[in-house]
Amino acid sequence: MATHTAAIFDLDGVIIDSGPLHMEAWKMVLEDNKVHFDEKQFRALYGMRDSEVIPRLIGIMGDEKIDTLKKQKGETYEKLIVHYARPMKGLAEFVAYLHHNNIRTTIASSATPIVIAYMLTAIEMADQFE
């Protein structure tokens, strides 16, 4: 019988349901820049990096403008995380079960380590993952 020693979790959609927070952040930033944005567009672009999304929604532009919009979206998203991020239902109990059985837990994500730490802190689970 195989013995498991570790569990690897994705962040978005597994640890927290971040989709609605990403959509709201994009909507706020794009509306501030007079660009229409709706759920259909969001679903078509979800999972892409911000630097890929912006030209698809707004058109070709310089790197400086893309960087400005990326920064705006990131800051807006972080504010939303603080107020609205919640762990997925059953996550805390499952992680507690894993720890009780000496199974280490970690995160694998395309998010930066800073964003991962920020999100785990927001849902009060930063000490639950290596």
Side-chain angles (χ1 to χ4, degrees):
M1 182 163 126
T3 301
H4 300 287
T5 59
I8 302 171
F9 292 81
D10 187 16
L11 187 63
D12 293 307
V14 176
I15 300 295
I16 70 166
D17 184 9
S18 58
L21 301 177
H22 278 290
M23 186 172 78
E24 186 61 25
W26 274 122
K27 188 174 181 181
M28 292 168 73
V29 168
L30 291 170
E31 285 179 355
D32 283 350
N33 287 277
K34 310 292 189 256
V35 176
H36 173 74
F37 184 71
D38 59 32
E39 187 173 350
K40 183 178 178 182
Q41 290 170 300
F42 174 74
R43 298 235 177 263
L45 301 170
Y46 189 59
M48 291 182 182
R49 295 203 172 277
D50 293 352
S51 57
E52 296 173 276
V53 170
I54 294 165
R56 288 174 189 251
L57 291 172
I58 299 176
I60 304 300
M61 63 182 63
D63 290 342
E64 188 174 317
K65 179 66 174 174
I66 290 174
D67 289 342
T68 299
L69 290 172
K70 280 174 35 181
K71 183 178 179 191
Q72 268 186 292
K73 191 268 185 171
E75 290 170 352
T76 303
Y77 179 66
E78 287 177 8
K79 289 175 187 172
L80 292 171
I81 288 171
V82 169
H83 297 290
Y84 301 107
R86 301 291 178 266
M88 294 293 275
K89 185 177 180 180
L91 176 69
E93 296 82 4
F94 183 56
V95 170
Y97 168 82
L98 294 173
H99 289 178
H100 178 76
N101 289 284
N102 298 315
I103 298 173
R104 298 167 67 184
T105 55
T106 194
I107 305 286
S109 176
S110 62
T112 65
I114 292 169
V115 170
I116 293 169
Y118 191 79
M119 291 173 81
L120 292 176
T121 299
I123 63 169
E124 299 179 353
M125 292 190 75
D127 61 341
Q128 301 296 308
F129 298 91
E130 294 181 41

